[in-house]
Amino acid sequence: MKIELPGSLTPYTMGEPRTYEPPPGPSTARVAYAAAHVVPDLSGDSLDWDTTLAFRRHLWSYGLGVAEAMDTAQRGMGLDWAATRELIVRSGREALSVGGRIVCGAGTDQLPPGPATLEEIVAAYTEQLAVIESAGAVPVLMASRHLAAAARGPEDYADVYGRLLGQVGRPVVLHWLGPMFDPALDGYWGSPDLDVAADALLALIGEHASRIDGVKISLLDAGREIAFRRRLPSGVRLYTGDDFNYPELIRGDAEGHSDALLGIFDPIAPAAAAALQALDGGDLTSYEEIFAPTVPLSRHLFEAPTYYYKTGVVFLAWLADHQRHFRMVGGLETARSVPHMVRLFQLADAAGLFPDPGLAAHRMRAWLTVQGAAS
């Protein structure tokens, strides 16, 4: 199967898919969540619930947990709180029906843009926590743009999070999303100095460790994540959100490892599950071999501006036939350039991620035609 791609003088030859059977269950060595995307209906006015939930069943079938209503689902980039609330309720019901693991993001995005008081921020988080806990999911206290704008220093973060952690009914996951994922979060935890911010977050975790399952860190800095991981209290997990360096961070070293809550696990779910199963069996050679071709893909997918990675995630889902169209909430399907998407297509094919290369090539050709870029 060949396809002519812009920028190349010779046709591109499609590779063979790499097939991975669903494992018998979740990984036993690591806890792993895939942050899942959403699919709008063709009108763009609401979500296509059948397709959105079917994709979550796909993730659960490969033994992965679902990280619901996170930034991969376009929180803060098109998905409003009303749709998010329904997404949490429906996904929680689906998780219960299949026995799937699920965490859900709690934020403050029901507040209007602009200044908010700490009291309003706590109330917004509290409202969302109630929805998540009623859905039977583990809450993720997502980083809040409102709090980033309102906080005067680490003490305000300690106050807000302390009040929230004092009321939760089960241990939660904290969330440190770097400014490459959302520029409005620069200086989160009270300082643009990442060492100072890390100290503030570790102090908060130390004070409330019994109410914290783990912390998700998305700074795209493996060394900083490892240093932070080694300072965590016993029993508090580090969930890597590093879509550049996840194989080494999940593998770990003699002093520990990271678990996973990753956007890249959305498009590479079968490969990720197979790699984790190899790790369970102590087969590090297979673990590295399975993950290796996914890393160039992920680094390209999450290249700057990183917050547009969602466009590539949905594009790959369409090419892999998880959905019937390439449309996104808020029209975000236009956020990446044609050269970026062409390279993404090639890297995904090289990783063997298209179950039907012929269909993927057909859809790529159709998309290029619409872009005015087909030969």
Side-chain angles (χ1 to χ4, degrees):
M1 173 66 64
K2 296 180 183 295
I3 176 174
E4 293 186 4
L5 297 174
S8 176
L9 297 177
T10 59
Y12 176 79
T13 301
M14 300 292 292
E16 293 295 324
R18 301 187 67 174
T19 57
Y20 302 102
E21 292 298 321
S27 170
T28 57
R30 302 291 186 268
V31 178
Y33 293 98
H37 72 281
V38 294
V39 184
D41 62 21
L42 286 174
S43 73
D45 294 331
S46 63
L47 294 186
D48 177 342
W49 291 110
D50 289 343
T51 305
T52 294
L53 295 174
F55 189 77
R56 280 130 184 84
R57 290 193 294 273
H58 159 72
L59 296 175
W60 284 316
S61 75
Y62 278 92
L64 299 173
V66 168
E68 186 60 275
M70 303 288 289
D71 56 299
T72 304
Q74 296 183 240
R75 293 294 292 274
M77 293 188 74
L79 194 73
D80 63 19
W81 169 237
T84 299
R85 181 174 55 233
E86 186 170 0
L87 178 65
I88 291 168
V89 171
R90 288 182 182 239
S91 292
R93 191 181 305 133
E94 288 289 324
L96 182 62
S97 71
V98 302
R101 182 180 282 147
I102 186 170
V103 297
C104 295
T108 62
D109 48 338
Q110 73 270 52
L111 294 175
T117 67
L118 296 186
E119 291 297 332
E120 290 170 331
I121 291 167
V122 170
Y125 267 125
T126 299
E127 177 188 357
Q128 297 199 12
L129 281 169
V131 173
I132 293 166
E133 292 185 326
S134 294
V138 174
V140 179
L141 289 177
M142 296 179 67
S144 163
R145 292 174 181 171
H146 293 95
L147 183 54
R152 296 162 297 177
E155 66 281 356
D156 284 341
Y157 289 91
D159 174 37
V160 168
Y161 279 88
R163 283 194 274 172
L164 295 171
L165 291 167
Q167 63 175 281
V168 295
R170 63 194 300 179
V172 304
V173 177
L174 301 183
H175 185 232
W176 188 2
L177 196 66
M180 67 288 293
F181 286 93
D182 187 343
L185 300 176
D186 192 25
Y188 212 75
W189 303 113
S191 175
D193 184 319
L194 295 181
D195 291 330
V196 174
D199 288 343
L201 177 53
L202 284 161
L204 175 72
I205 293 169
E207 185 175 352
H208 302 280
S210 65
R211 295 179 177 271
I212 298 170
D213 168 71
V215 55
K216 167 184 159 61
I217 294 185
S218 299
L219 298 176
L220 303 182
D221 185 330
R224 187 172 293 279
E225 178 176 317
I226 292 168
F228 190 96
R229 186 175 75 200
R230 290 174 178 169
R231 297 174 63 190
L232 284 172
S234 176
V236 177
R237 299 179 183 274
L238 192 299
Y239 290 101
T240 187
D242 188 333
D243 299 279
F244 286 180
N245 305 293
Y246 51 94
E248 66 177 275
L249 292 165
I250 295 169
R251 183 186 64 242
D253 54 33
E255 297 185 51
H257 65 265
S258 296
D259 293 289
L261 198 165
L262 288 161
I264 188 57
F265 277 12
D266 176 307
I268 71 164
L276 292 171
Q277 290 293 315
L279 185 62
D280 287 350
D283 184 355
L284 292 180
T285 299
S286 293
Y287 172 86
E288 299 290 353
E289 188 271 335
I290 294 167
F291 264 146
T294 72
V295 174
L297 167 71
S298 191
R299 291 185 173 222
H300 180 74
L301 184 68
F302 286 83
E303 73 176 8
T306 300
Y307 43 83
Y308 287 140
Y309 77 89
K310 305 151 187 87
T311 300
V313 166
V314 178
F315 189 60
L316 293 178
W318 175 58
L319 293 177
D321 202 28
H322 290 295
Q323 54 196 76
R324 293 174 296 168
H325 61 76
F326 176 43
R327 296 283 301 278
M328 296 180 67
V329 175
L332 203 63
E333 66 271 14
T334 63
R336 289 292 203 186
S337 69
V338 169
H340 175 91
M341 301 296 254
V342 168
R343 184 61 181 149
L344 185 66
F345 169 78
Q346 293 172 309
L347 290 168
D349 179 64
L353 295 181
F354 298 136
D356 184 341
L359 176 63
H362 171 74
R363 289 186 171 181
M364 186 66 185
R365 198 176 291 116
W367 182 80
L368 288 171
T369 299
V370 171
Q371 303 305 311
S375 299

